[in-house]
Amino acid sequence: MDKTNIVESKHVMAKENPYLPSVAVVKKTIKETPNIISVQVMLEDESERDSFSFKPGQVAQLSVFGSGESTFVINSPASDPSMLQFTVMKVGVNTTAISNLSPGERVGIRAPLGNWFPCQAWEGKKILIVGGGIGLAPLRPLIFHILENRKKYKDLTLLYAAKTPDDRCYKADLKQWEASKDINLAQTIDTACHGWDEEVGLCPHVLEKMKPSPEGTVAVTCGPPIMIKFTLEVLKKLNFDSSHVYTTLERRMKCGVGKCGRCNIGEKFVCVDGPVFSLEELEKIPEPFI
Amino acid sequence: METIYTLKKQDLKPWLESLAQDSDVYVPARDRDNSLVDFFNLSEIKDDLGFGQGQEKRYVLDLVEKTKRSPKQVMYPHWEDLLDFSYEKDPENIEDEKIKLSVSQEAPNSIIFGLKSCDCQAIAKMDAVFGQGIVKDPYYMKRRENTVLISLGCDTVFEDCFCTAVGGSPYGFDHTDLGLMEDGDHYVVFVYTKKGNALAQASNSYLAKADAKDGQDYKSRMQERGRKASEKMSSMWPKTAVEDMAEHLNKAFDASQWKKVSQQCISCGACTFVCPTCYCFDIRDDKDNRQGKRYRCWDFCTSYLYTLEASGHNPREDIQKRYKNKVNCKYNYNFQRQGHLYCVGCGRCVEVCPVDMDIRQIVAAVLKSKQP
């Protein structure tokens, strides 16, 4: 990932005070799974909304004032930056506050932060996307980008893994993609259950069985840390070159602009050097990234 | 800048007190219990410390002792409000509750007296974190711009000091505004920056310009004293090849010694609290009914909570990983990012550690393990 990417990213940096959020209004909430919800928000200030843009893979600091800020990827299509969607698993104080939001309520947004998927460099290639659970969120704007620019890419394959059919996010998208010729969708769940006629088994195992060819292919993965770890191992085993394997990482970020020191992996800061990293880059860092 | 002044020792306190009329002047002083020396605001010192008549001895203006904490909190306070927020109902539409955000930041004119060269080096490193990168930190920068640094050359080398081992020197005045050298019944004042020059010119009732010949003499004496103090310190703790540290630490990342050297650490964070270059912070919200504030506060990487994610996943769940990160942050990661070590050899962490960990010994032990 070349560093010029970061300099181009304008919105937060253009502000004199990078800690001051923009106010956004909740427009819609969607229950994805029993403990995961998506919130769609719109920047309140019209001129800010008009000048806002982001790229697939970039993140935001989303805050409920009084509960605090947390980092989430913007998972709606980058082609429509007027509405921003975030997907949140209810696990802590802030994610609970976000899960309890209703349309009309105000939140704070500091975005876009971090780098993005180098989609342009991938043009002309086959794209293999491997997502697990809520880890499909950062991959979603990438999928939309490829679908919107379908002719620029060769085969697009998505392997999506979840614990149970109910634990899958974006069920409406999945249904559409299942019917689409533009994307090959494979889905797997951890253990067999009634009415499920797709793959059964852990994501890395299913991937190994699928045996995708590394030839002219870029692989992108995101999911729980343990899934990323084993998926990367399988990709290596399938002879994918580290420079063609990408992942997007998470750390407990605070400032989002490379000051607070919280999100380092070795000498890299996830907030400015990432969250998108190639495996080649990660292999050079002595500190484990999982 | 070439101008050199002299200041009579008896005029030091009156000079600082005169400066305190327009600025917050921080000076080293002993606390109420006589237990430690730290930087205190001169104009608040009487209230804060219960200084009464005849207790002037609590000022430690000659500063032979080392201050317990670094002066970083003057520019980078422990807690600092980033913004205030309030929920306000729209009178037109009572259902609609808007958010109002405001930022009010105080950045008083400040003067810190009695820094050592290590403290000034450290401030230059803080400047790099908060003043460079993809965006500047406006809170730090505003305070920093309004702060003048007056430092004092070190002739006393303490057991914990090791500035020469990490590229510093006891008379390293390169990041100070005014540098003082104690000389009999007066101080020699060297001017290094525009800010320092302005302060010196405004202090003409206390500072006397040295003539060119004396100036030359003072300068060579200062260099000689610096050389002597450096030699003394180097003999206690040998110079490290600063440029090679990052590479060596990368090679030693998986060294088995890490486990042994880090197991004593109790994750108390005292070392970070006193460190002049530790800059990590947390951002938190505080809400009371319908209004509140977002603030930042210092944080420390040896804490379990530092990297604990809401999911329960913790990339640095054991102390070995956390301590290794701390050492690498100081001698490796920041060297790769900023081009210099984030340790100035002040030795405060060595002095304060409740379980007697000595970062010098630890780095040496780890690096030794990887040498052929």
Side-chain angles (χ1 to χ4, degrees):
Chain A
M1 204 69 32
D2 64 322
K3 293 219 164 174
T4 53
N5 277 359
I6 296 158
V7 181
E8 279 172 31
S9 171
K10 283 283 154 44
H11 194 77
V12 157
M13 316 341 163
K15 280 194 168 179
E16 215 168 275
N17 185 347
Y19 303 106
L20 187 64
S22 304
V23 175
V25 187
V26 176
K27 291 290 170 188
K28 194 178 168 187
T29 62
I30 303 157
K31 196 172 164 96
E32 302 282 359
T33 79
N35 66 344
I36 296 175
I37 71 134
S38 290
V39 242
Q40 293 181 351
V41 308
M42 196 178 249
L43 291 175
E44 192 168 47
D45 184 276
E46 206 179 318
S47 67
E48 255 189 304
R49 192 162 66 228
D50 290 345
S51 63
F52 186 85
S53 70
F54 72 97
K55 296 191 176 177
Q58 285 195 293
V59 300
Q61 286 287 3
L62 173 64
S63 56
V64 176
F65 294 96
S67 293
E69 278 188 320
S70 305
T71 318
F72 303 98
V73 71
I74 309 171
N75 70 56
S76 43
S79 53
D80 177 16
S82 65
M83 186 73 88
L84 307 173
Q85 179 172 290
F86 302 95
T87 302
V88 173
M89 187 189 281
K90 191 172 165 179
V91 281
V93 175
N94 204 28
T95 49
T96 303
I98 294 167
S99 301
N100 293 338
L101 286 168
S102 322
E105 286 190 77
R106 263 57 169 193
V107 292
I109 300 274
R110 293 195 288 128
L113 300 167
N115 70 355
W116 50 84
F117 295 110
C119 301
Q120 280 185 329
W122 295 347
E123 287 175 6
K125 294 198 188 316
K126 290 188 276 183
I127 310 288
L128 167 68
I129 295 175
V130 184
I134 196 171
L136 185 55
L139 305 168
R140 189 172 180 258
L142 173 66
I143 296 169
F144 281 119
H145 176 84
I146 296 168
L147 291 174
E148 286 161 9
N149 298 273
R150 195 62 198 89
K151 289 208 175 82
K152 290 182 181 164
Y153 300 88
K154 293 191 178 147
D155 290 1
L156 169 63
T157 305
L158 167 64
L159 167 61
Y160 182 45
K163 274 187 188 143
T164 70
D166 260 4
D167 287 312
R168 292 172 307 150
C169 296
Y170 316 119
K171 293 187 187 73
D173 292 338
L174 291 170
K175 208 167 175 183
Q176 262 187 22
W177 296 339
E178 208 165 11
S180 167
K181 281 185 192 131
D182 288 334
I183 175 168
N184 311 312
L185 174 66
Q187 299 186 68
T188 180
I189 55 170
D190 285 2
T191 43
C193 74
H194 187 70
W196 180 258
D197 51 11
E198 306 227 15
E199 300 284 345
V200 173
L202 294 175
C203 175
H205 299 156
V206 177
L207 179 66
E208 199 169 352
K209 227 169 55 188
M210 275 169 66
K211 274 205 184 62
S213 159
E215 214 57 48
T217 310
V218 168
V220 193
T221 184
C222 185
I226 193 79
M227 186 211 101
I228 296 184
K229 184 177 181 226
F230 288 106
T231 300
L232 293 174
E233 276 177 21
V234 168
L235 288 169
K236 292 287 274 186
K237 215 161 139 186
L238 294 167
N239 288 322
F240 274 78
D241 190 273
S242 300
S243 64
H244 287 78
V245 175
Y246 285 79
T247 185
T248 165
L249 296 175
E250 189 172 53
R251 278 295 181 274
R252 198 172 171 192
M253 279 180 215
K254 290 290 173 173
C255 75
V257 289
K259 305 289 176 210
C260 76
R262 301 286 298 243
C263 65
N264 80 302
I265 302 175
E267 76 279 11
K268 303 278 185 196
F269 282 136
V270 172
C271 68
V272 291
D273 301 312
V276 177
F277 291 96
S278 71
L279 183 55
E280 188 183 28
E281 277 179 290
L282 293 172
E283 282 172 344
K284 287 183 195 149
I285 307 174
E287 185 176 20
F289 56 91
I290 296 293
Chain B
M1 270 178 228
E2 280 302 295
T3 329
I4 296 172
Y5 296 84
T6 54
L7 166 70
K8 284 187 193 135
K9 274 193 176 166
Q10 67 202 50
D11 284 347
L12 176 61
K13 198 160 157 273
W15 177 45
L16 294 172
E17 277 168 350
S18 81
L19 295 174
Q21 286 171 6
D22 302 316
S23 303
D24 287 346
V25 177
Y26 293 86
V27 300
R30 209 174 294 280
D31 75 345
R32 189 194 292 265
D33 305 325
N34 219 18
S35 64
L36 62 85
V37 177
D38 209 347
F39 287 98
F40 292 102
N41 189 334
L42 190 68
S43 48
E44 290 168 10
I45 222 158
K46 290 196 173 95
D47 302 336
D48 283 5
L49 301 180
F51 273 30
Q53 288 292 327
Q55 298 203 313
E56 305 270 300
K57 60 178 193 239
R58 283 195 185 170
Y59 294 106
V60 197
L61 301 183
D62 57 350
L63 198 64
V64 176
E65 279 179 80
K66 211 189 294 192
T67 53
K68 199 84 174 175
R69 290 183 305 174
S70 86
K72 72 178 171 188
Q73 71 267 14
V74 174
M75 286 146 292
Y76 178 43
H78 303 159
W79 292 275
E80 178 168 31
D81 290 354
L82 296 176
L83 57 100
D84 294 306
F85 58 82
S86 58
Y87 287 89
E88 287 174 8
K89 288 229 189 297
D90 181 356
E92 305 271 305
N93 175 7
I94 203 77
E95 296 284 287
D96 199 23
E97 199 172 40
K98 294 204 160 165
I99 276 280
K100 205 180 138 209
L101 303 178
S102 61
V103 177
S104 59
Q105 196 210 334
E106 284 174 29
N109 288 331
S110 302
I111 295 169
I112 312 176
F113 170 83
L115 300 112
K116 306 233 171 190
S117 84
C118 53
D119 294 329
C120 296
Q121 300 278 349
I123 290 170
K125 290 170 203 285
M126 287 293 209
D127 291 350
V129 170
F130 290 113
Q132 294 170 15
I134 57 166
V135 65
K136 285 185 181 179
D137 185 294
Y139 299 85
Y140 175 89
M141 292 312 284
K142 213 168 156 192
R143 287 178 202 271
R144 178 70 181 92
E145 277 156 24
N146 294 348
T147 303
V148 187
L149 311 176
I150 307 176
S151 56
L152 206 58
C154 286
D155 296 295
T156 316
V157 175
F158 294 94
E159 162 182 18
D160 300 329
C161 292
F162 60 107
C163 69
T164 52
V166 288
S169 66
Y171 271 86
F173 281 150
D174 35 341
H175 297 291
T176 191
D177 295 307
L178 291 178
L180 269 60
M181 172 175 77
E182 195 249 341
D183 187 37
D185 61 355
H186 63 275
Y187 291 100
V188 181
V189 182
F190 299 91
V191 178
Y192 289 92
T193 61
K194 277 186 189 161
K195 261 189 204 172
N197 198 37
L199 184 69
Q201 283 183 358
S203 306
N204 56 9
S205 29
Y206 301 96
L207 303 185
K209 239 180 211 170
D211 64 33
K213 193 177 157 289
D214 283 348
Q216 209 48 46
D217 179 45
Y218 289 140
K219 222 171 152 183
S220 50
R221 273 164 57 202
M222 191 259 279
Q223 281 159 354
E224 179 55 22
R225 277 166 72 169
R227 199 182 53 78
K228 263 194 192 152
S230 291
E231 263 171 22
K232 196 171 160 195
M233 197 179 303
S234 304
S235 69
M236 290 164 57
W237 200 261
K239 196 164 169 57
T240 327
V242 170
E243 300 74 24
D244 298 341
M245 284 280 274
E247 200 191 321
H248 287 317
L249 279 168
N250 270 348
K251 281 187 191 146
F253 197 87
D254 296 316
S256 55
Q257 263 71 9
W258 282 114
K259 190 169 181 202
K260 197 174 159 219
V261 298
S262 58
Q263 67 188 3
Q264 255 176 293
C265 178
I266 54 169
S267 305
C268 71
C271 49
T272 295
F273 192 72
V274 298
C275 178
T277 65
C278 272
Y279 56 83
C280 287
F281 61 85
D282 192 3
I283 297 178
R284 288 162 173 270
D285 279 12
D286 197 4
K287 190 177 141 200
D288 183 13
N289 198 10
R290 287 153 55 79
Q291 57 190 11
K293 60 188 174 189
R294 180 161 296 163
Y295 64 97
R296 71 168 162 203
C297 52
W298 296 357
D299 204 350
F300 62 107
C301 63
T302 44
S303 156
Y304 179 80
L305 299 174
Y306 186 83
T307 45
L308 178 66
E309 292 163 18
S311 64
H313 176 66
N314 192 344
R316 293 191 205 112
E317 75 281 12
D318 60 65
I319 185 60
Q320 183 185 336
K321 287 180 181 161
R322 299 199 293 274
Y323 198 81
K324 193 195 293 191
N325 180 68
K326 181 192 171 74
V327 171
N328 272 285
C329 179
K330 302 225 153 279
Y331 302 103
N332 175 5
Y333 302 155
N334 268 304
F335 187 79
Q336 291 191 53
R337 276 196 290 261
Q338 309 276 9
H340 29 85
L341 304 185
Y342 268 58
C343 170
V344 291
C346 71
R348 289 186 175 98
C349 59
V350 180
E351 194 197 348
V352 79
C353 182
V355 291
D356 286 338
M357 289 176 81
D358 184 334
I359 199 161
R360 300 169 296 185
Q361 313 275 11
I362 286 166
V363 172
V366 169
L367 292 184
K368 201 173 159 197
S369 72
K370 276 289 147 177
Q371 270 159 14

